[in-house]
Amino acid sequence: MIIKRREFLKVGSLATASLLLPNFLKAMALPNALEREQKVLVILQLSGGNDGLNTIIPRRNDIYFRERQTIAVENALPLTDEAGINPALGFFKELFDNGELAVLNNVGYPNPDKSHFRSMDIWHSASRSDEYLESGWLGRYLDEACYDCTHPTQALEVNDMLSLALKGKHKKAFAFTDPKKLYQTSQEEYFKSLYEDHQHEDETVGYLYQTLGETINNADYIFEKSKVKSTTAPYPDSALGKDFRTIASLIKSDINTQVYYLQIGSFDTHINQRQRQEGLFRTINDAVEAFVDDLKKNGLFQQVMLMTFSEFGRRVAQNASNGTDHGTANQLFFISGGLKEKGLRNALPDLEHLNAGDLVYSEDFRKVYATLLKNWLGADSSKILGWKNGVYDFI
């Protein structure tokens, strides 16, 4: 059966979807399914460059208020005598008070790049700013931890497309959104007959049909398994809330996944920053609160670590549009019942000593990655990252 171009494109759409969603739930039936004592890492990417100074606020710093006369946060929720947190992140304040939140300030890298795309690539690949890598730090973790796995389901991204961070040299994570939609599409008679009758010698097209066949053969199983441990806990009706609900359901199942990845944005707040940023914060706050509550009720919060990051921070001074422009260093949040140390792990940004109006980083993000890989996931961080400058002790 020789197909026409329009039919080929239609097949390609399903096969592409199957590449994003294939077989990941098969891991529930594997003998190496995740055991309760194994650690799980959840990474929330704040896309667009979140303004760290309006997230963790230096509430007694005159320079902060002078440089941000219309966008400074004056009603920050106090964390310490010097630091407060944005009031839209009220649950994070509760986590801080409970010893379930750690904050690392001034995280960045030498010679920072202010391009969204380039800086995100640097964070995803764990490269130097003058180095270009085609694999991600979590993808290389898969190469190391899953070199002999039939299905590298140790890492999953809740998204339509797979981020560079999860692409290895030999293994890649799976990106997915909705198993039910994949199942419904795979049941169309058109795709079944097309797969059974196709004949094509082209290697690329043959691979496409092979992927299509695997999807058709496993879609029913994937859909049924996706409902096995479906959470009944209430979650916000936001896209992020639904993503966290999906992750919670999988964590509570016996799937062998140790890394989950999701994102929200855009934090590129050049104009009217307060309204945009705080709206996103409220979405994050409510979704994380539901997620943590779900984990706690199921006795899993000790084994799960949630980390947030953004590709860069913002400049210290506000711009003329009640916003901020691309900056450099930023803070990272770590949320877990298994933290060794809590609270602010280092000093707030130094606003007196800037680099052309930008914050000067003091903590290299690759040390954070090395810490998570070695201390949380039990991986060989030096082999995966080439990092040999130590790790933090709060994880």
Side-chain angles (χ1 to χ4, degrees), residues 207-264:
Y207 176 76
L208 187 69
Y209 275 112
Q210 178 185 352
T211 305
L212 174 65
E214 290 176 353
T215 304
I216 291 172
N217 293 334
N218 293 290
D220 184 22
Y221 176 82
I222 291 172
F223 177 50
E224 290 302 318
K225 289 297 182 182
S226 69
K227 301 183 295 182
V228 168
K229 296 288 185 177
S230 180
T231 184
T232 58
Y235 277 79
D237 196 32
S238 63
L240 186 66
K242 294 175 182 177
D243 290 346
F244 269 115
R245 181 200 298 270
T246 298
I247 292 175
S249 295
L250 292 172
I251 290 175
K252 287 189 286 186
S253 75
D254 291 330
I255 196 168
N256 65 344
T257 305
Q258 288 192 264
V259 177
Y260 295 91
Y261 200 98
L262 69 168
Q263 56 185 281
I264 185 174

Side-chain angles (χ1 to χ4, degrees), residues 199-325:
Q199 296 177 8
H200 209 293
E201 295 180 357
D202 184 272
E203 181 179 356
T204 301
V205 178
Y207 176 76
L208 187 69
Y209 275 112
Q210 178 185 352
T211 305
L212 174 65
E214 290 176 353
T215 304
I216 291 172
N217 293 334
N218 293 290
D220 184 22
Y221 176 82
I222 291 172
F223 177 50
E224 290 302 318
K225 289 297 182 182
S226 69
K227 301 183 295 182
V228 168
K229 296 288 185 177
S230 180
T231 184
T232 58
Y235 277 79
D237 196 32
S238 63
L240 186 66
K242 294 175 182 177
D243 290 346
F244 269 115
R245 181 200 298 270
T246 298
I247 292 175
S249 295
L250 292 172
I251 290 175
K252 287 189 286 186
S253 75
D254 291 330
I255 196 168
N256 65 344
T257 305
Q258 288 192 264
V259 177
Y260 295 91
Y261 200 98
L262 69 168
Q263 56 185 281
I264 185 174
S266 168
F267 284 89
D268 197 17
T269 50
H270 293 281
I271 300 173
N272 298 327
Q273 173 174 300
R274 287 288 299 269
Q275 181 179 5
R276 176 65 179 171
Q277 186 189 41
E278 290 179 8
L280 288 167
F281 280 169
R282 284 189 289 271
T283 299
I284 293 171
N285 186 78
D286 294 347
V288 170
E289 182 174 11
F291 180 63
V292 170
D293 184 63
D294 198 358
L295 294 177
K296 285 183 175 180
K297 288 179 178 177
N298 287 274
L300 294 169
F301 191 46
Q302 290 286 127
Q303 285 76 45
V304 178
M305 173 76 68
L306 170 61
M307 182 193 82
T308 72
F309 85 96
S310 196
E311 68 265 36
F312 45 62
R314 317 296 290 189
R315 291 176 63 79
V316 173
Q318 70 175 75
N319 60 29
S321 301
N322 293 320
T324 52
D325 298 324

Side-chain angles (χ1 to χ4, degrees), residues 126-183:
S127 69
R128 301 188 306 272
S129 59
D130 62 349
E131 180 183 26
Y132 293 82
L133 301 179
E134 295 181 357
S135 63
W137 71 285
L138 292 170
R140 297 196 295 276
Y141 160 73
L142 279 181
D143 288 339
E144 175 71 15
C146 199
Y147 64 93
D148 59 350
C149 297
T150 304
H151 304 290
T153 52
Q154 276 78 1
L156 301 174
E157 179 170 4
V158 185
N159 200 359
D160 290 324
M161 299 295 293
L162 188 65
S163 300
L164 172 62
L166 293 102
K167 297 178 180 179
K169 297 178 180 178
H170 309 290
K171 299 287 186 179
K172 291 180 174 63
F174 290 121
F176 68 96
T177 53
D178 189 348
K180 183 178 180 180
K181 290 181 180 179
L182 179 65
Y183 168 72

Side-chain angles (χ1 to χ4, degrees), residues 99 305 337-342 345 375-376 392-395:
M305 173 76 68
L339 289 169
K340 290 183 178 180
E341 301 288 343
K342 64 177 181 177
R345 304 314 311 152
N375 293 356
W376 195 256
Y392 296 104
D393 59 5
F394 66 92
I395 294 174

